[in-house]
Amino acid sequence: MMFVSRRLLGRISLVSLAVLAACSTPPPPPPPTPPPAVVPTIMPVPPENAAEGMAIPTKDEDGKYLTANRGVTSNTALWHVRMALNVAALNCDKYGATARNQYNQILAVHSQVLKAANAAVDRNYKYAFGNAAIGSREQLNTVVYNFFALPPVIKHFCPVAVTVGAKVLSTPSSQLLQMAPAWLDELEKPFQEFYAAYEDYLRRLAEWQSRFGATVRVIIAPNSMPPPPKAPGEAPPSGWRPSSMGASPVNDAAAAPASSSATVQPLPGATGADVPSSATVQPLPPSSSSAISGPPAPARTLPDNSAPPRLEVQPLPTTGE
């Protein structure tokens, strides 16, 4: 009996020692703290799915982006409005046939004032550019058409064009020239807003590249696009020519100043309104009774006021809608 008790006590002692040993073992370390969630850094993209690396216009003194519509005469503004609505008629069919139908109605309702505006713009170009008038006007027309057809802006431009087209149709022809500059600003607004958004995208892209672009190649837009061609100012009315002193335009009916040193002599068979631009004005020799000392006035070149070719405006074919 005594032998069994000692053996039992020995086993209990061994179990106790094992329990004590287990209690003295340190607990395992806690699992490592998970890293903070990774916030993706997304590189800015151009607005309206525009192309990367686009050049945008510079701003003028008024803070607006410089376009071919800035600082134009009323006749030129009306013609640019017509071109903008023509672009809408050709590019806005996916939003309905309204723009196309409006454009054709405008050509019919306001045909006379549009023809007069076109003729006035032709005179402006002939006066400013002479024999290069047609090429200069075609160059600006191309810039204006491409401006209003900028793909990223079309979806914002089309509803504005429809709104302006409705205004043009509801306005008497006699008031079109007065309203044209405001309509042109309204048609240009979506493009001004797009350029502002693109400029902001370039700013955010430059900031992103400075932070995360060490291992990323980013192409930022090149220099700003060159200034667009500028439309000429209003040509003087028909029937006047510069004075021989070159100070200011005078009417043909006005008498020449007594101090004039040269008389403008038109070419044989030509009137003052259709003297070719290549004609050289020759001063007449002074008479013995009214000779004026000093060298004669330099020869001047008269503007070509002959009627230039007209731009034919054709209505667009109507759709079946």
Side-chain angles (χ1 to χ4, degrees):
M1 185 68 178
M2 181 66 68
F3 178 76
V4 172
S5 299
R6 287 180 179 178
R7 180 178 296 181
L8 179 59
L9 290 174
R11 290 180 179 178
I12 292 174
S13 299
L14 291 176
V15 171
S16 300
L17 290 175
V19 170
L20 292 175
C23 292
S24 63
T25 303
T33 303
V38 177
V39 178
T41 56
I42 302 176
M43 185 177 72
V45 295
E48 306 297 342
N49 295 319
E52 296 181 1
M54 275 186 62
I56 62 175
T58 57
K59 292 181 178 179
D60 61 15
E61 59 276 7
D62 297 327
K64 290 187 175 182
Y65 294 95
L66 187 61
T67 72
N69 300 314
R70 307 249 65 79
V72 297
T73 67
S74 294
N75 284 305
T76 301
L78 180 58
W79 199 252
H80 285 198
V81 169
R82 187 209 65 81
M83 286 195 285
L85 298 181
N86 184 206
V87 172
L90 294 171
N91 291 276
C92 297
D93 275 348
K94 65 174 64 176
Y95 306 105
T98 304
R100 178 185 293 265
N101 295 335
Q102 283 179 340
Y103 178 73
N104 287 333
Q105 291 172 353
I106 288 170
L107 295 185
V109 172
H110 299 305
S111 61
Q112 294 304 315
V113 70
L114 289 175
K115 289 179 181 178
N118 180 47
V121 175
D122 274 340
R123 285 196 306 271
N124 298 345
Y125 273 89
K126 291 295 288 184
Y127 179 76
F129 297 102
N131 293 334
I134 296 178
S136 298
R137 187 175 182 187
E138 288 179 349
Q139 180 188 15
L140 186 133
N141 286 350
T142 300
V143 171
V144 173
Y145 272 111
N146 289 340
F147 170 80
F148 284 114
L150 189 63
V153 194
I154 284 293
K155 69 178 182 180
H156 301 290
F157 166 66
C158 287
V160 175
V162 169
T163 300
V164 172
K167 294 178 181 179
V168 175
L169 279 174
S170 63
T171 302
S173 295
S174 60
Q175 298 180 17
L176 292 191
L177 289 178
Q178 177 184 351
M179 300 301 301
W183 291 336
L184 188 58
D185 285 343
E186 190 172 351
L187 289 165
E188 195 183 75
K189 184 179 178 181
F191 300 89
Q192 292 283 335
E193 292 174 346
F194 168 76
Y195 288 138
Y198 202 94
E199 185 175 13
D200 181 67
Y201 148 71
L202 292 177
R203 178 192 61 78
R204 291 183 290 107
L205 179 63
E207 180 181 348
W208 182 90
Q209 185 181 17
S210 68
R211 296 178 61 190
F212 310 107
T215 59
V216 180
R217 181 173 179 267
V218 178
I219 301 176
I220 299 181
N223 296 330
S224 298
M225 64 176 61
K230 185 174 177 59
E234 201 69 50
S238 177
W240 68 267
R241 60 177 178 256
S243 67
S244 57
M245 299 300 291
S248 61
V250 296
N251 193 284
D252 282 341
S259 61
S260 160
S261 62
T263 302
V264 177
Q265 188 74 5
L267 295 180
T271 64
D274 58 5
V275 178
S277 60
S278 60
T280 302
V281 180
Q282 298 294 340
L284 295 178
S287 64
S288 58
S289 61
S290 61
I292 300 176
S293 60
R300 297 177 59 83
T301 301
L302 290 178
D304 186 350
N305 291 323
S306 59
R310 297 290 186 266
L311 295 179
E312 295 296 333
V313 181
Q314 298 294 338
L316 296 174
T318 58
T319 63
E321 299 180 13

